[in-house]
Amino acid sequence: DTAVSQTPKYLVTQMGNDKSIKCEQNLGHDTMYWYKQDSKKFLKIMFSYNNKELIINETVPNRFSPKSPDKAHLNLHINSLELGDSAVYFCASSQGQGPTDTQYFGPGTRLTVL
Amino acid sequence: DQQVKQNSPSLSVQEGRISILNCDYTNSMFDYFLWYKKYPAEGPTFLISISSIKDKNEDGRFTVFLNKSAKHLSLHIVPSQPGDSAVYFCAASAWGGTSYGKLTFGQGTILTVHP
């Protein structure tokens, strides 16, 4: 049983479109995250939710909107996609927010904007 | 401004030898450090961590060393095995301040272990 799952695994779309990536965790964790791995391979945090509340919102364009319908799900909606949004997006979850709360990552969603 | 850097994009070692992966950081507020391992088409998985109150942490074949004065940490894998071939990410966090609750990653080092 996959602990953190993401759908879709691959997403190819045109500039200007709106798309969503879904994330689900079955670990019973309270905290969920979205990270972006850019072309330089750095993994950078975008958002973090704890018990459905937004707690970290890094400098991300407001075209990106996370939504947490419940503790087990954190979806990422992207409006008006741009070429620079092409990246691999990883969802993660952890029990708490502290450094010793191990973050478990999903397999990633590779987004390609044409 | 990258606060965590892994300056070696790749490392190649022979099976049975030691692999040493290096990581440097600039933010003195970081006080907890982690290594993650990533196979192709999978997400990163936690490998080992170290708190800034220690200078060494060992878990089986994996040992992480921390040199706070140099703002440098390293991961030693002894002996290296072909199954260790993966991308290794260094990450840093903190118990407080703006780095609390998030991981700041380096860009990764591709380790290849040859049989």
Side-chain angles (χ1 to χ4, degrees), chain A residues 5-23:
Chain A
S5 59
Q6 296 178 228
T7 53
K9 201 166 174 63
Y10 299 96
L11 186 52
V12 181
T13 187
Q14 300 286 331
M15 264 192 339
N17 283 349
D18 303 339
K19 290 293 177 186
S20 291
I21 306 172
K22 295 186 176 182
C23 177

Side-chain angles (χ1 to χ4, degrees), chain A residues 9-10 33 35 37 40-45 48 56 58 90 97-108, chain B residues 2 4-5 31-32 34 36 38 41-46 89 93-95 100-108:
Chain A
K9 201 166 174 63
Y10 299 96
Y33 312 80
Y35 286 85
Q37 186 178 30
K40 294 182 181 175
K41 303 302 181 186
F42 285 97
L43 268 156
K44 294 182 181 175
I45 190 164
S48 170
I56 292 175
E58 292 293 280
F90 289 96
Q97 304 168 48
T100 56
D101 289 295
T102 301
Q103 294 188 21
Y104 294 82
F105 284 79
Chain B
Q2 301 303 333
V4 178
K5 293 180 184 177
D31 52 16
Y32 199 80
L34 310 92
Y36 275 77
K38 185 184 178 306
E42 295 182 12
T45 54
F46 170 74
F89 289 97
S93 186
W95 284 102
Y100 178 74
K102 61 184 177 185
L103 297 176
T104 301
F105 283 90
Q107 68 269 54

Side-chain angles (χ1 to χ4, degrees), chain B residues 35-111:
Chain B
W35 286 92
Y36 275 77
K37 176 179 176 179
K38 185 184 178 306
Y39 292 117
E42 295 182 12
T45 54
F46 170 74
L47 187 59
I48 192 169
S49 62
I50 188 166
S51 167
S52 61
I53 61 172
K54 294 185 173 182
D55 54 20
K56 176 183 171 182
N57 189 27
E58 195 171 349
D59 183 2
R61 297 185 296 114
F62 302 90
T63 303
V64 56
F65 294 92
L66 175 62
N67 182 334
K68 280 179 294 186
S69 59
K71 293 193 175 70
H72 177 86
L73 62 154
S74 61
L75 174 69
H76 292 212
I77 307 174
V78 182
S80 301
Q81 298 174 353
D84 295 330
S85 297
V87 180
Y88 288 79
F89 289 97
C90 171
S93 186
W95 284 102
T98 57
S99 294
Y100 178 74
K102 61 184 177 185
L103 297 176
T104 301
F105 283 90
Q107 68 269 54
T109 296
I110 301 170
L111 173 66

Side-chain angles (χ1 to χ4, degrees), chain B residues 2-43:
Chain B
Q2 301 303 333
Q3 300 181 65
V4 178
K5 293 180 184 177
Q6 295 173 253
N7 292 318
S8 298
S10 63
L11 174 68
S12 182
V13 300
Q14 209 65 33
E15 181 178 6
R17 305 295 289 268
I18 184 172
S19 296
I20 300 176
L21 297 101
N22 294 303
C23 176
D24 298 294
Y25 63 96
T26 56
N27 189 341
S28 56
M29 296 302 293
F30 289 143
D31 52 16
Y32 199 80
F33 304 91
L34 310 92
W35 286 92
Y36 275 77
K37 176 179 176 179
K38 185 184 178 306
Y39 292 117
E42 295 182 12

Side-chain angles (χ1 to χ4, degrees), chain A residues 79-99:
Chain A
N79 289 328
S80 304
L81 278 154
E82 300 177 358
L83 292 176
D85 297 332
S86 295
V88 182
Y89 293 84
F90 289 96
C91 176
S93 74
S94 61
Q95 184 54 55
Q97 304 168 48

